Amino acid sequence: MGMKYGLAAIIVLSASLTCCPSGSAEVKAISEHKRNDETSPRFRFKEVPPPSSRDLATTAEFKLVDGKKDANAGGLEALHDGRLPRDEDQPADNFFFAAGTDGGRILIDLGRSTEVKHVNTYSWHPGTRGPQVYRLFGTEGKSDGFNPEPRRPLEPEKCGWKLLGTVDTRPKEGDPGGQYGVSLFDTAGNLGTFRYLLFDISRTEAEDPFGNTFFSEIDVLDPATPETAAAEPVAPAEQLPPELIETEGYQITLDASDTPDLAEWVHQKVGPMAKEWYPKLARMLASDAFVAPKKVSVIFDGRMRGVAATGGTRVRCAGGWFRENLQGEALGAVFHELVHVISGRGSRGAPRGARGADAAR
């Protein structure tokens, strides 16, 4: 499905849903895409409502029916905890299926049959893991032969489920990375009355193992849910401003706001090293085909697993590992990632989409 970046696209998904009270209903979806340079942790779109922290999904039970969670992903709770990622590539704050697999199925049990007005989904990644591809099914679970956990290749419609819509936000051209918001709704009223919702999620591409979407949040809204109840990113207990290092025409931002206990080490060790060695490395490694980026960010993430990872001009460092290695390899690890930034390996040398935790050493 093609779309203009930054604009809302209205997609007709299905019609004549007998579960909806309108009798002659039409399910539609608003889909919006913000490019990487337009995103923010607030997930604000022009038409798609902001994520909610007080919707039906907040207290619902999420269950993995089919497929395997990636080892670097957050748990299913990341989809309905009201906590949004602060950055474009934070695996632990998103749920995604294992590398090399074609997605899977997620069941949402609302606990009781409830009128559903909107189902909204949000995702964020700088590459091919940004777009969303899924089918959404719903049911009250009362029909004969109902299967509450249909695994592939069993089609849900054959065991008591109704297809509500099909979503595919992959752009036909241009960079697929960025932030996506999708809102499914009914033009005549509510989507219907459901106890269970089933997401049948597919990967966005199969050219490499890294095509499973980074889903940040799933909201299920009833008619009474306030659509403006946004789920704000949780700020660290002690917010520290990033430190800006300027050296020979380059700008290096050091952000330890999520790991304030590392701030002094970052200032005393990482700052001087980066100021001295980034321009030196730029001269050593630059070539006609690649010029060292003028602006670089080094972010210390308290929830990241592994060691460190580079995506484009952004370096992410796992706070837990660095705490344990301040007297050892910690400084060298940052140096190592700066080499990746300058050589371009963080964004060009690795397989397309192999960013974040998949590139972590």
Side-chain angles (χ1 to χ4, degrees):
M1 182 206 72
M3 67 187 73
K4 294 182 179 179
Y5 293 130
L7 299 178
I10 306 295
I11 316 145
V12 177
L13 297 177
S14 58
S16 299
L17 299 181
T18 57
C19 59
C20 295
S22 59
S24 178
E26 187 175 62
V27 174
K28 291 186 177 181
I30 301 173
S31 172
E32 292 185 76
H33 175 200
K34 284 191 172 183
R35 296 173 297 187
N36 287 316
D37 59 355
E38 300 173 330
T39 59
S40 78
R42 294 179 179 270
F43 279 72
R44 293 296 191 267
F45 299 97
K46 291 182 179 180
E47 300 292 336
V48 175
S52 173
S53 58
R54 291 183 289 166
D55 62 291
L56 297 175
T58 304
T59 56
E61 179 184 356
F62 280 56
K63 185 173 183 179
L64 190 61
V65 171
D66 202 2
K68 181 180 179 182
K69 181 184 84 71
D70 193 277
N72 296 302
L76 288 172
E77 62 273 9
L79 297 175
H80 61 125
D81 60 0
R83 182 186 179 100
L84 296 172
R86 299 182 310 280
D87 199 0
E88 63 187 10
D89 192 3
Q90 288 191 290
D93 286 348
N94 298 275
F95 177 88
F96 53 100
F97 289 96
T101 67
D102 186 13
R105 290 177 175 176
I106 297 173
L107 172 71
I108 302 178
D109 182 356
L110 300 176
R112 58 183 176 84
S113 293
T114 307
E115 285 191 6
V116 174
K117 182 179 181 182
H118 289 268
V119 176
N120 303 334
T121 54
Y122 307 87
S123 57
W124 193 10
H125 190 270
T128 56
R129 293 175 156 190
Q132 304 178 21
V133 182
Y134 65 82
R135 295 184 299 161
L136 177 63
F137 299 84
T139 182
E140 286 192 80
K142 297 179 180 179
S143 62
D144 293 338
F146 170 60
N147 184 342
E149 299 181 13
R151 295 174 57 88
R152 292 173 174 173
L154 177 62
E155 280 297 319
E157 288 178 289
K158 295 182 177 180
C159 55
W161 294 84
K162 181 175 287 292
L163 177 65
L164 302 182
T166 301
V167 170
D168 187 344
T169 68
R170 293 174 293 187
K172 290 184 178 180
E173 57 185 23
D175 187 353
Q179 212 168 62
Y180 289 80
V182 177
S183 181
L184 282 81
F185 62 96
D186 186 88
T187 57
N190 298 321
L191 281 171
T193 299
F194 310 108
R195 172 173 175 172
Y196 304 101
L197 296 170
L198 181 71
F199 282 85
D200 184 26
I201 299 171
S202 299
R203 58 189 171 188
T204 65
E205 52 89 10
E207 295 180 20
D208 56 54
F210 309 107
N212 281 307
T213 302
F214 270 37
F215 281 96
S216 305
E217 193 80 8
I218 294 177
D219 286 352
V220 181
L221 282 63
D222 65 10
T225 303
E227 295 182 1
T228 57
E232 300 291 349
V234 177
E238 182 182 351
Q239 187 70 47
L240 300 173
E243 179 179 359
L244 179 63
I245 305 294
E246 296 188 280
T247 175
E248 298 185 29
Y250 299 102
Q251 292 184 342
I252 305 168
T253 300
L254 305 178
D255 188 350
S257 59
D258 196 46
T259 56
D261 57 307
L262 294 176
E264 183 177 359
W265 177 83
V266 171
H267 173 73
Q268 293 183 354
K269 299 295 184 180
V270 179
M273 181 276 291
K275 184 172 185 177
E276 176 184 357
W277 279 99
Y278 190 82
K280 288 183 178 180
L281 290 169
R283 290 191 292 270
M284 294 167 58
L285 300 175
S287 66
D288 293 338
F290 188 86
V291 178
K294 292 294 184 180
K295 295 183 179 181
V296 182
S297 298
V298 181
I299 302 167
F300 290 82
D301 188 338
R303 287 165 289 172
M304 178 182 172
R305 301 168 186 170
V307 180
T310 294
T313 61
R314 191 185 301 266
V315 175
R316 293 175 56 250
C317 302
W321 184 89
F322 275 80
R323 290 187 186 96
E324 297 177 358
N325 292 274
L326 293 183
Q327 306 303 318
E329 302 176 74
L331 190 60
V334 180
F335 183 95
H336 180 86
E337 297 303 321
L338 291 178
V339 173
H340 284 318
V341 171
I342 296 171
S343 67
R345 289 183 60 194
S347 57
R348 299 194 307 167
R352 184 165 62 88
R355 300 177 180 176
D358 302 299
R361 283 150 297 282

